[in-house]
Amino acid sequence: MESTEKKLLAEGISSLYKHRDDFIVFGLTGRTGSGCSTAADQLVKSADKLVLGQPASPLKTNDERKYSIVWDWTKKHWHPFSRIRVSDLIISKALSTPLDDLKRFLLGNNTSEAVVSSVVAIIESIDGLSDYSRFWQATNIEELEQEEIHRINDKFFNGFDALRKRFRDCFEIESNTSYTTIMQLAGDNLRRSGSVISNECIPEQLFSLPSAINRLIKIFRKSNRNSGAKSYFVIDAIRHPFEAIFLRERYSSFYLIGVTTDELSRKKRLNARYNDEEIKLISEKEYPTDDLLKSYSFLVTQNIGACLQQADILINNKESALENDFSELTENLAKYVALAQHPGLVPPTPIERCMQIAMTAKLNSGCISRQVGAAISGNDYSITAIGWNSVPQGQVPCSLRNIQRLKNGTDKDSFSSYEQKEFRKEISKLHEWKCDEYSFNGRPLSYCFKSSYNKAKKPKTQVQPRSLHAEENAFLQIVKNGGIGIKNGFLFTTASPCELCSKKAYQLGIKKIYYIEPYPGIANDHILDCGSEKPELILFTGAIGRAYIHLYHPLLSQKDELEILLSASASQI
């Protein structure tokens, strides 16, 4: 092949990866104390400040070999991220609110007059206050002059740290949580009404915050365009799942990273700043109750559990034996940055592979409340069974049962004799929906027997659901197909197992349980943390779902890519 042709081919490959390499957006989510801001701190570092441990020498394991590849790539290709703080966007919206209205809002939400006076003094001292109003008013950045774009870009990415600290210090004179509380309220209001001071429900304003993030990304890229610099963003932090969905639908290069940690480590970090009662209030805000989620608040209030369920990548930011040692967190972040830049650079870990199977399995769930998937492997990570929460084989899952067909007596195989006889009248009272015969605007009229029964009968003991749990289903698949032993095997579940499934896992001799999201209850502390053969409970780290495919599927075979690039390089010598 002629050297010119080789050079063109190499340039073509570079262009193939350029759209991945030039633009990346990482959204961070996780509970307060899990380490979202710590993760952002690592991502914004320049290459010379990034602390990565040296690869092992000699290399003995495949994990060490994978890390050496990531290390080599990162040293050549690392580019610092620009941080977008959601709190800064909320503050900027407050700065574009008429001052008298803002004062009334603060005073009406238990902020002292002294603090309000200090807040007003800070606002009145800010130069270029109108730039914040222009940012929020411009639905299209083409409305902004080039000079305005540069000023807004500079304000958000270079000048907000000191301003944010002044506001925080001002509020926290009263209490440690006063700043957090008012920011949470302002954020909810912004999602609810498009204004930080109004709690009026305006559905058109649901995406006020992610729209502002999107606008800021566009402003930064436009300001940067002439320099040809890469545009990498880290959003600290996303607190509602619909905001992640909004950004994912706009950017193929968007990845939601869930930063997790065990509860003991989390509380240890928070105790340095908050007391137990304050920690309890923060946790309740981040994990809203079922009652709250049945109101309009479902669309606007923080919901970290739902965010973690949406995460593309999960990183367990566990406590290090050394203070301020973030090397493991940084190494994980570097790996996923490298994969975002160059998909398929290294293959997935066995743990990722198994959890991806559990994630895929959960989509089979017939539960209309919550989907959970599970996979069981031997201690060599070979899969022996999968499961998902659904009804016993031969019964019809809730997602396919239509309540109108129960009422009119058709599709009798879908319903139990109890539902068709004793409970049928109760169903008619509970669900008097006005809709098409078998759908509401095309949506099937599925119903949850457990919820309906508990609502109608109000029993002292809650009735059990029709479904088997995902882990339970996986255990039973093994029994059903010949009883393959799973002692010392591993369980992968998209939610940590409940008390009943934990007992089964313990009895079967499961050695390790990998999970994504903690399940409410006492299974971890009471069932699993007891006795002489207790399983090891491990928060999952890895890429799953859509990101598993995006990050691990190479754009070109490694053999072809390397041959072309090496050949082009040799021809220029």
Side-chain angles (χ1 to χ4, degrees), residues 230-399:
K230 297 177 182 180
S231 296
Y232 289 7
F233 301 93
V234 54
I235 302 165
D236 181 15
I238 290 176
R239 317 292 284 178
H240 198 286
F242 296 154
E243 292 167 1
I245 292 169
F246 178 95
L247 293 166
R248 184 180 290 142
E249 288 176 347
R250 277 150 186 80
Y251 300 118
S252 63
S253 55
F254 172 82
Y255 301 94
L256 181 63
I257 299 180
V259 183
T260 62
T261 193
D262 61 274
E263 192 61 14
L264 192 64
S265 298
R266 176 177 168 269
K267 285 192 174 178
K268 181 180 175 183
R269 294 166 188 164
L270 291 177
N271 279 330
R273 184 179 181 88
Y274 304 108
N275 62 40
D276 288 345
E277 183 58 32
E278 290 168 339
I279 293 171
K280 181 173 177 288
L281 291 172
I282 291 170
S283 299
E284 288 174 351
K285 176 64 179 175
E286 293 177 341
Y287 272 74
T289 62
D290 287 343
D291 287 343
L292 188 66
L293 293 179
K294 289 173 184 173
S295 66
Y296 193 82
S297 295
F298 162 69
L299 298 174
V300 298
T301 196
Q302 293 184 15
N303 191 339
I304 302 302
C307 285
L308 291 174
Q309 289 180 37
Q310 287 287 336
D312 299 297
I313 300 165
L314 290 130
I315 296 178
N316 178 8
N317 180 30
K318 56 190 175 188
E319 198 73 17
S320 172
L322 301 174
E323 190 173 356
N324 295 323
D325 175 19
F326 307 118
S327 56
E328 188 171 346
L329 173 66
T330 306
E331 287 164 13
N332 276 311
L333 290 167
K335 171 185 171 180
Y336 293 112
V337 172
L339 286 165
Q341 293 170 325
H342 194 286
L345 186 68
V346 293
T349 66
I351 295 168
E352 286 176 303
R353 181 181 70 238
C354 293
M355 188 60 84
Q356 177 71 354
I357 291 170
M359 284 294 294
T360 303
K362 86 172 191 175
L363 302 179
N364 293 282
S365 170
C367 181
I368 61 174
S369 296
R370 189 185 193 209
Q371 294 180 310
V372 179
I376 298 171
S377 79
N379 56 17
D380 60 352
Y381 297 100
S382 58
I383 295 294
T384 57
I386 63 172
W388 51 89
N389 57 322
S390 198
V391 294
Q393 191 170 3
Q395 295 186 5
V396 179
C398 295
S399 60

Side-chain angles (χ1 to χ4, degrees), residues 77-98:
H77 298 278
W78 179 264
H79 184 81
F81 283 64
S82 297
R83 182 180 347 219
I84 296 175
R85 293 183 191 263
V86 173
S87 59
D88 292 352
L89 289 166
I90 295 170
I91 291 171
S92 73
K93 183 64 174 176
L95 295 178
S96 62
T97 301

Side-chain angles (χ1 to χ4, degrees), residues 33-247:
S34 64
C36 286
S37 293
T38 304
D41 289 341
Q42 309 316 305
L43 288 167
V44 300
K45 287 182 178 179
S46 57
D48 60 315
K49 300 288 186 184
L50 194 70
V51 179
L52 292 174
Q54 289 284 335
S57 180
L59 300 170
K60 294 181 179 179
T61 69
N62 283 346
D63 283 343
E64 290 174 352
R65 293 180 181 95
K66 289 176 187 177
Y67 177 66
S68 73
I69 293 170
V70 170
W71 191 88
D72 285 338
W73 177 271
T74 302
K75 290 299 176 184
K76 296 284 186 182
H77 298 278
W78 179 264
H79 184 81
F81 283 64
S82 297
R83 182 180 347 219
I84 296 175
R85 293 183 191 263
V86 173
S87 59
D88 292 352
L89 289 166
I90 295 170
I91 291 171
S92 73
K93 183 64 174 176
L95 295 178
S96 62
T97 301
L99 202 51
D100 287 342
D101 293 342
L102 185 62
K103 285 164 63 176
R104 279 192 292 272
F105 166 72
L106 294 173
L107 290 169
N109 285 282
N110 303 318
T111 306
S112 70
E113 291 192 13
V115 169
V116 172
S117 297
S118 298
V119 169
V120 170
I122 293 170
I123 294 173
E124 290 178 338
S125 71
I126 297 172
D127 290 330
L129 205 58
S130 61
D131 287 333
Y132 297 111
S133 297
R134 283 290 288 150
F135 168 77
W136 281 95
Q137 289 166 0
T139 54
N140 188 328
I141 66 164
E142 301 305 324
E143 300 172 23
L144 299 171
E145 300 291 337
Q146 194 63 37
E147 186 57 37
E148 287 180 309
I149 285 173
H150 287 311
R151 287 201 309 269
I152 291 169
N153 189 63
D154 185 61
K155 274 184 165 60
F156 278 103
F157 292 104
N158 299 317
F160 228 105
D161 284 353
L163 182 58
R164 184 190 329 105
K165 187 178 184 306
R166 289 176 70 190
F167 280 120
R168 181 184 282 277
D169 291 346
C170 177
F171 276 96
E172 291 187 351
I173 291 172
E174 289 189 327
S175 76
N176 289 333
T177 57
S178 59
Y179 173 80
T180 301
T181 301
I182 203 70
M183 289 295 289
Q184 287 174 337
L185 177 60
D188 284 358
N189 282 348
L190 191 50
R191 297 182 188 99
R192 194 183 293 271
S193 67
S195 165
V196 295
I197 64 172
S198 171
N199 62 3
E200 181 186 359
C201 296
I202 305 175
E204 293 79 8
Q205 297 297 332
L206 276 176
F207 294 115
S208 292
L209 266 175
S211 294
I213 293 170
N214 186 38
R215 192 179 313 126
L216 197 53
I217 287 171
K218 289 180 177 179
I219 285 172
F220 182 94
R221 294 187 78 186
K222 187 165 186 177
S223 181
N224 239 22
R225 195 162 291 159
N226 293 335
S227 66
K230 297 177 182 180
S231 296
Y232 289 7
F233 301 93
V234 54
I235 302 165
D236 181 15
I238 290 176
R239 317 292 284 178
H240 198 286
F242 296 154
E243 292 167 1
I245 292 169
F246 178 95
L247 293 166

